[in-house]
Amino acid sequence: MRKGTKWTLWILGLMLAAIFINFYMNLYSFAYALITVLLLVFMGWGFLAKLKNDVRQHEDHHRRELQTAIDDIDQYTR
């Protein structure tokens, strides 16, 4: 497992443990705040994944257009 993945899993585990401990100790507002932070992190992670996918699709589209243009030029200049 990569080092970054290990750290991510440790932090996620600690956050979940902290949420359960705060619910057990009747500190509901702090537990809900931790849940909110966790949700914001997951939404940010999803946004970055979608952005990366959109950039790759855009680059692939332009690469295909360029290749098609080069193929057309080669076809007509033979």
Side-chain angles (χ1 to χ4, degrees):
M1 208 179 318
R2 292 185 351 205
K3 191 174 185 177
T5 306
K6 284 183 183 179
W7 278 105
T8 303
L9 289 176
W10 271 105
I11 291 171
L12 180 63
L14 288 174
M15 286 284 287
L16 289 174
I19 290 168
F20 288 127
I21 289 171
N22 283 312
F23 275 123
Y24 180 73
M25 293 172 46
N26 293 330
L27 298 173
Y28 297 113
S29 61
F30 193 65
Y32 285 126
L34 286 175
I35 291 171
T36 304
V37 168
L38 204 56
L39 286 175
L40 289 174
V41 167
F42 281 133
M43 286 191 312
W45 194 358
F47 173 75
L48 288 176
K50 183 182 180 336
L51 182 65
K52 189 175 181 181
N53 187 29
D54 289 345
V55 168
R56 284 186 180 171
Q57 283 182 345
H58 186 72
E59 290 174 349
D60 288 344
H61 175 71
H62 283 290
R63 190 177 310 118
R64 273 185 260 127
E65 280 185 358
L66 179 64
Q67 189 61 37
T68 303
I70 290 173
D71 290 344
D72 289 345
I73 290 171
D74 287 344
Q75 181 182 2
Y76 292 118
T77 55
R78 286 186 188 170

